[in-house]
Amino acid sequence: MSVIAMPSRVPTASPSHVEPTHLDAVSEPKPGAIAADPNAKGAAREAFMWLRQVARDPALPLLSLRVAIEVSQHVDRRKGYAHPSHETLAADLKASRRGVQKALGKLQEQGHLDVQVSRGAGQANRYRLRVWRMARGAV
């Protein structure tokens, strides 16, 4: 019977942490840089509230939830709506275009989404998330 010797692990000294020299602790924005949106935190909160609302709706099929997640990622905080095309959503979700259309219709039917239909070739619809406001303490 032969014994295989395992190499011993030799502790190595880790290099001390070095801060990058090109970054300041608090740096001034560069001229022409876009400042962070002051309402970004509120917009993110609204999107999470909306996703929770959609996830808790037992009448929605799974594809509607997946489409809702994807639409929420396309919302322009400044404009307040999303406008991804059906083709974009279908490609991103690896779903059929018709399936995406049905899922969007179900979200609209259940009152989660306002849809402004765009007319004309190459024009995507606009989707506005509808967050339900509940009274404090409501379940």
Side-chain angles (χ1 to χ4, degrees):
M1 181 172 163
S2 63
V3 177
I4 300 174
M6 298 297 290
S8 64
R9 292 191 171 220
V10 178
T12 58
S14 62
S16 62
H17 181 70
V18 179
E19 291 292 328
T21 57
H22 65 284
L23 298 176
D24 296 334
V26 178
S27 58
E28 293 295 318
K30 293 185 171 135
I34 298 173
D37 187 349
N39 296 322
K41 191 173 183 180
R45 186 176 193 289
E46 289 277 320
F48 280 119
M49 287 173 53
W50 183 74
L51 287 171
R52 173 186 270 177
Q53 165 189 307
V54 170
R56 290 180 175 180
D57 187 342
L60 292 176
L62 181 60
L63 184 56
S64 290
L65 179 57
R66 293 178 60 217
V67 168
I69 292 168
E70 197 64 32
V71 167
S72 74
Q73 299 303 301
H74 288 271
V75 173
D76 183 329
R77 289 188 306 257
R78 291 187 183 109
K79 295 178 182 176
Y81 61 84
H83 52 89
S85 68
H86 294 159
E87 290 80 10
T88 297
L89 292 171
D92 290 348
L93 295 170
K94 310 243 183 313
S96 69
R97 184 174 180 268
R98 184 65 187 133
V100 166
Q101 289 172 334
K102 286 181 178 181
L104 288 166
K106 193 69 170 171
L107 286 165
Q108 184 179 18
E109 177 185 304
Q110 291 297 110
H112 298 293
L113 199 62
D114 284 331
V115 180
Q116 180 183 350
V117 178
S118 297
R119 300 287 180 209
Q123 298 296 317
N125 295 339
R126 291 182 181 178
Y127 306 101
R128 198 170 297 275
L129 314 182
R130 293 185 65 201
V131 179
W132 303 338
R133 302 292 177 198
M134 296 187 154
R136 271 201 196 277
V139 177

